[in-house]
Amino acid sequence: MGKRILLLGAPGAGKGTQSKQLAEKYDIEHVTTGDALRANKDMETEYGTPRSFMEKGELVPDAVVNEIVRAALEDADGYVLDGYPRNLSQAEYLTEITDLDAVLYLKVAESELVERLTGRRVCSECGTNFHVKFNQPEEEGVCDECGSELAQRDDDTEETVRERLSVFEENTAPVIEHYRDEGVLVEIDGEQTPDEVFDDIAATIES
Ligand code: ADP
Ligand code: AMP
């Protein structure tokens, strides 16, 4: 059976960057609620569309994201879960539907998060992440992986970033404390280079 990895961290901590590599190395699924929601932004739900929450930096209702995760995990032989759970009620739901082999927290200071998010550029086709300063593509505005155009996410503006970080503090920090209290949380220094972060994560998973 493939490894079941939970990657926690604030917006901009590097979850997407690391998950992509982890999925390749361990041949597991990258399950990310953020990407799933962006691909279904205008889906009508009884609560409204995901877009109406995402553009304000608020959380999409639990019922919508829980169902996305349930369906994705059911189909996966091993996964790295990125962007979920974001509150205690989602964490409780996750405990009901799966066991985990590793719970990792990528720790990064808030000032660094703001700079990472406002400078992030994402491939419109394959979703690979770049940064205007920290992780430049070979050719400006063009994806190294697939040659498609890079774009800035609608919610990566400074104002929405501040809101997302405050939602993280209020709703998601308690999730991290919950796993810490259970004694399963491994903290990783997320301010190292992406390769160093990856080496620390791999060492933890294999220990
Ligand atoms: P998350 O998925 O946690 O929101 P991302 O993986 O998208 O975070 O990373 C946010 C931004 O920071 C991206 O522009 C990415 O290129 C950049 N980044 C990721 N890891 C690092 C790192 N270790 N050092 C500097 N910048 C990074
Ligand atoms: P992300 O790509 O992880 O930064 O998520 C982008 C946005 O999608 C968030 O600001 C939320 O609006 C929404 N979202 C992603 N994951 C979740 C989740 N687990 N619960 C609620 N909303 C989510």
Side-chain angles (χ1 to χ4, degrees):
M1 176 162 190
K3 295 206 183 288
R4 297 160 298 184
I5 303 164
L6 175 57
L7 201 51
L8 296 164
K15 302 182 298 296
T17 303
Q18 299 297 329
S19 294
K20 199 166 191 292
Q21 287 199 59
L22 286 168
E24 273 173 34
K25 179 173 168 105
Y26 295 105
D27 192 21
I28 53 181
E29 294 293 322
H30 178 196
V31 176
T32 153
T33 45
D35 284 359
L37 290 166
R38 272 185 292 282
N40 295 284
K41 264 190 168 171
D42 294 313
M43 175 180 70
E44 286 296 344
T45 76
E46 59 182 295
Y47 312 96
T49 60
R51 182 193 295 277
S52 60
F53 299 93
M54 295 168 81
E55 66 188 10
K56 288 184 277 186
E58 293 171 1
L59 296 184
V60 173
D62 293 343
V64 177
V65 284
N66 286 348
E67 177 53 24
I68 290 173
V69 170
R70 190 199 59 74
L73 297 196
E74 192 173 73
D75 292 340
D77 178 11
Y79 56 80
V80 50
L81 184 54
D82 156 14
Y84 179 99
R86 263 178 151 95
N87 60 30
L88 285 172
S89 139
Q90 294 178 13
E92 215 170 284
Y93 183 75
L94 184 64
T95 303
E96 285 171 23
I97 60 171
T98 190
D99 292 324
L100 296 166
D101 298 312
V103 182
L104 306 164
Y105 168 42
L106 288 183
K107 192 170 177 191
V108 174
E110 173 149 348
S111 55
E112 170 83 11
L113 295 170
V114 174
E115 197 176 3
R116 284 191 187 182
L117 290 167
T118 52
R120 174 162 61 187
R121 299 292 182 271
V122 183
C123 177
S124 47
E125 282 300 316
C126 73
T128 302
N129 285 316
F130 296 88
H131 191 280
V132 294
K133 267 211 259 182
F134 307 139
N135 180 16
Q136 297 176 337
E138 259 162 50
E139 189 185 337
E140 195 185 320
V142 179
C143 179
D144 289 349
E145 300 285 325
C146 74
S148 301
E149 204 179 325
L150 302 183
Q152 183 166 28
R153 267 170 52 173
D154 295 340
D155 60 352
D156 277 347
T157 58
E158 176 136 8
E159 192 192 350
T160 311
V161 161
R162 298 267 175 212
E163 176 60 23
R164 287 158 63 206
L165 292 176
S166 104
V167 166
F168 170 80
E169 276 308 321
E170 187 168 329
N171 297 274
T172 315
V175 172
I176 292 161
E177 292 318 307
H178 161 77
Y179 288 109
R180 200 194 302 279
D181 290 346
E182 284 198 333
V184 295
L185 190 78
V186 177
E187 202 166 288
I188 305 277
D189 175 4
E191 294 191 18
Q192 310 172 86
T193 66
D195 285 349
E196 287 166 343
V197 174
F198 188 73
D199 288 346
D200 278 5
I201 293 176
T204 302
I205 289 170
E206 283 158 35
S207 71

